[in-house]
Amino acid sequence: MIPFLDLKKVNKKYQSEIEQAVLRVVRSGWYILGEEVKQFENSFAEHCQVKCCIGVGNGLEAIKLILCAYKELGVMSEGDEVIVPANTYIATILAITESGLTPVLVEPDIRTYNLDPKKIEEKITSKTKAILPVHLYGLCCPMDEINKIAQKYNLKVIDDAAQAHGAVYNGFPIGGLCDATAFSFYPTKNLGALGDAGAITTNDKQLAEVIRALANYGTEAKYINKYKGINSRLDEMQAAILAVRLKYLKDDTIYRQELASKYLNEIVNNHIVLPFVRVIEEHTFHMFVIRCQKRNELQKYLLEQGIQTQVHYPIPPHKQEAYKEWSNLSFPITERIHDEVLSLPLNTALNFSEITEIIDCVNKF
Ligand SMILES: *Cc1c(COP(=O)(O)O)cnc(C)c1O
């Protein structure tokens, strides 16, 4: 059996370093907002080539905190609109509605599964305040085009990079490509903690200050509460673990890209559409997502051959019960993607011979 993802095996590579880091924190007597978080924030800011990084509780709150900070700064207010791809993971949409803003769903590009810049302008109204591209499956969105539209209409660009740590777009790392970037370090992500964790990167120091306060009860100085904030802090233990994982991110990303290149070169099957790649550096292959009209049959067949796959994601946000107010909306491209996508195993615990075995099976379907 080739499992979709064996996290124990993934983390084995870093286990002794992680255990040392955890022990160091246990023995330090300091568990929240200390040196470990500060050091990780500095290293991650350097990695992203940005001025500011704020560690937070998780990826959903990272997006939410950026939006709420813009509200505090007077850039956005209750009911304003945020343009977002209709096929994103539910967390992106939840962050917008939880902030009291209105998501405006836009169909993705069927080749890239990312926000289609050609469809953004027609959705802009006087209430639009931001575009929120999601680098889905690890592929960078066309940020030059998106930033250009944002500039024309004076909008903020906030990107959801929960699946794209380590991606490089036109020579620049993700995290500094627009106004603010949200990251998740959920354990299955390319840069994963051993629990919940997230971060925000930005070059806007004023925005960073507001976010930092909002994430800590709205506290500006100890016991001085400037905003109605929340509790969303990266803890010392997760920060220490992430500092270990960050050292290996570049090599891990290259390895994922090598495995993906093998799939891309060797999967030959008329029933299957392979992921779009412009230049390999732009794709971190958080998932290797193929498309097939007979997706359910293919998934069943692969499982019979001992290969576990997953569907990211089976139901689009506008078809979820949580957003039943959208149930009569129609997004044909999004719905087609959700009907046809299948994620093949791709992670740093796999070797080339396992990839060969998967390719052989896929080609025989
Ligand atoms: C994982 C993920 C999130 C949410 O991150 P959490 O840390 O689980 O809150 C948001 N957006 C995308 C695209 C994700 O993949």
Side-chain angles (χ1 to χ4, degrees), residues 137 289-291 295 311-313 337-342:
Y137 310 142
V289 177
I290 60 173
R291 212 149 42 80
R295 189 262 317 275
V311 174
H312 296 100
Y313 301 90
I337 290 169
H338 286 76
D339 284 342
E340 296 184 358
V341 286
L342 187 69

Side-chain angles (χ1 to χ4, degrees), residues 70-89:
Y70 276 128
K71 282 175 80 182
E72 294 295 349
L73 287 166
V75 175
M76 297 177 196
S77 51
E78 206 75 13
D80 279 342
E81 294 171 1
V82 178
I83 287 176
V84 66
N87 63 319
T88 186
Y89 179 55

Side-chain angles (χ1 to χ4, degrees), residues 1-2 299 302-309 345 357-358 361:
M1 177 65 131
I2 301 178
Q299 184 171 36
L302 289 173
L303 192 60
E304 283 160 9
Q305 309 296 310
I307 297 158
Q308 213 180 42
T309 59
E357 192 184 325
I358 298 167
C361 287

Side-chain angles (χ1 to χ4, degrees), residues 266-284:
E266 297 177 23
I267 294 178
V268 185
N269 185 320
N270 288 334
H271 300 289
I272 286 166
V273 180
L274 292 167
F276 172 88
V277 182
R278 198 176 64 144
V279 285
I280 203 88
E281 290 77 17
E282 277 181 15
H283 207 322
T284 63

